[in-house]
Amino acid sequence: MKYVTFNPGTRELTGAYIQPLRAEHANFLEVSDEEHANWVNLRMNAELTGTEPVEPVDAGEDS
Amino acid sequence: MAIENANWIAELDANYPAAGEMVSEGDDHIRQDKRVLKNTFQNFGVGAPVTVTPAQINNIPNLAPKASPAFTGVPIAPAAGTGNGSLQLATMQDVQNVVANASLGGMGLPSPSGNANKFLGTLDGTNYGFFSLRDCLHVQDQKANGAGTGAASAGQNFRTINTTLENSIQGASVASDEVTLPAGTYDVTGWAAGGTGNYRISLYNTADSAYVASCMGLKGSSNGFGVFAGRFTIAAQKTFKVVQDSAVIASNGFGAPASVSTIEVYLSVIFRRLPS
C-alpha cells in the first residue's frame, strides 16, 4: 500500500512509503500516487482525514 | 411323407406338411415348430413382451458398437457435472464449465493477486513463482523546497530515510529511518549529501553493526555528497541505515537546500535484489 505518516499534533507529514503498513506507523493515511509523489508539499487537513497543500517553506540557510 | 428335421427357422420348409399328409403326423410338425421357435428366440418372452418393430430390428446393423464407436452427426450425452472425476464422458457443457471456473490456483500455480508487473516462471525447475525483473527498493530523504537538514554531530549520524519511491521486493520496508530487507543478494548504490567538515557516507547493517559499503573519505563543503556502491548477501532478514561519520559538528550537515522551487533530496539509495 502507498501511505504517508504524519504528526497528529502538527499535521505535518513525516514520510511516504510503499509497503505493508508497519507497526511503527500508527498515524498513517493511505494516499494516491499523486499525493505520494508530492507528499513533502502536503499536510493533513484539520480533520486528519485527508491531505491539503502546504505553503512552501522559506529557504534554509546554507552553511 | 417327409418331415424336415429343423432346429432353426431357416431350416423350415414352407411347403410342409403337404396337402394330403396323414393327420397323425400333425403333432410332429407342431413339436418341430415349437423347437425351432425356442431355439431361435431363446431369451424372448421371458418376463416381458418384445415390443420393437421390424424397422427397429432391421436398424440394428446401423448402430454404433460398444467397442470404439465412431459416432456421426451430433451425438449428445448427459452432462457429467462439476467435480466429477469418474470415467463418465464429458460434454461441451462440462468443458465450458471447467474453462469458466479455471484458475491458476486450480492448476497448482500461485495466485496473481499482489503480483502486479511480475512474471510467472520457475527458477528451480520444480516450483512456479512470480518474479520481477527489477526487484528494487528505492528510498530517499525528501524535504520541501528550501527545507534544510539540521546539524550533524561529530561521530556517527544516522541519516533520514522518509520516502519510498519504489518497492517491488516482497518483505522489504522502511520505518524509523531504517530499511528492512529479506534474505538475498543485493546490489546497492546510493548517495547522500554532506556538509562542511570531513565525513564519510556508508550503508550500515544495524542488525550486525557492520559497514556494508562506504564512499571514500570526503573533505566536506557546503554542497558535497558521498556516493557508495556494493554487493552483499544476507542469509536472513536484516536492517540497514545510512550512516554519516562526521569529523566536526556542522549546520545543515546533511546537505544544504537548493531552494530552486522543487523538492529537496538529500539522500537516495537503490537496492536491487539479484535473482536467486
Side-chain angles (χ1 to χ4, degrees), chain B residues 2-272:
Chain B
I3 298 177
E4 71 273 41
N5 185 23
N7 287 306
W8 309 99
I9 288 178
E11 295 171 339
L12 291 175
D13 188 336
N15 296 314
Y16 292 162
E21 296 289 356
M22 293 190 302
V23 174
S24 62
E25 294 179 345
D27 62 325
D28 296 331
H29 281 283
I30 292 172
R31 280 193 293 274
Q32 175 180 257
D33 291 347
K34 292 172 67 176
R35 181 175 67 249
V36 166
L37 288 172
K38 290 178 70 69
N39 282 346
T40 303
F41 304 106
Q42 292 185 15
N43 292 322
F44 277 45
V46 180
V50 178
T51 60
V52 291
T53 66
Q56 290 171 324
I57 292 177
N58 291 336
N59 191 46
I60 288 176
N62 298 324
L63 300 181
K66 288 174 62 179
S68 303
F71 296 120
T72 59
V74 185
I76 62 174
T82 57
N84 189 333
S86 72
L87 295 177
Q88 182 179 344
L89 296 178
T91 67
M92 289 307 296
Q93 183 182 94
D94 295 315
V95 173
Q96 285 190 331
N97 286 337
V98 169
V99 172
N101 296 320
S103 66
L104 292 179
M107 291 185 278
L109 299 175
S111 170
S113 177
N115 289 297
N117 301 316
K118 292 188 177 181
F119 300 88
L120 179 64
T122 178
L123 291 178
D124 60 6
T126 301
N127 301 301
Y128 286 102
F130 282 96
F131 303 94
S132 172
L133 295 182
R134 55 171 195 173
D135 269 357
C136 172
L137 174 66
H138 188 181
V139 298
Q140 288 188 337
D141 172 16
Q142 291 187 1
K143 288 178 171 53
N145 177 47
T149 56
S153 303
Q156 197 175 51
N157 298 269
F158 290 118
R159 299 293 301 262
T160 297
I161 302 175
N162 59 15
T163 306
T164 310
L165 295 184
E166 178 177 344
N167 184 4
S168 53
I169 301 175
Q170 188 171 10
S173 62
V174 180
S176 305
D177 302 324
E178 187 172 66
V179 172
T180 299
L181 295 176
T185 298
Y186 295 84
D187 278 340
V188 58
T189 56
W191 64 264
T196 56
N198 297 343
Y199 63 91
R200 187 180 70 168
I201 305 293
S202 305
L203 180 68
Y204 185 73
N205 180 333
T206 52
D208 299 330
S209 301
Y211 286 88
V212 176
S214 300
C215 73
M216 62 181 289
L218 296 171
K219 185 173 178 58
S221 65
S222 60
N223 57 359
F225 64 96
V227 179
F228 60 86
R231 174 173 290 182
F232 62 93
T233 298
I234 48 177
Q237 175 180 291
K238 298 291 183 181
T239 51
F240 300 86
K241 288 189 174 185
V242 175
V243 64
Q244 176 174 330
D245 291 293
S246 296
V248 298
I249 298 174
S251 62
N252 275 333
F254 310 115
S259 303
V260 290
S261 299
T262 183
I263 64 172
E264 310 290 350
V265 179
Y266 293 108
L267 172 151
S268 187
V269 183
I270 299 175
F271 299 89
R272 295 190 185 279

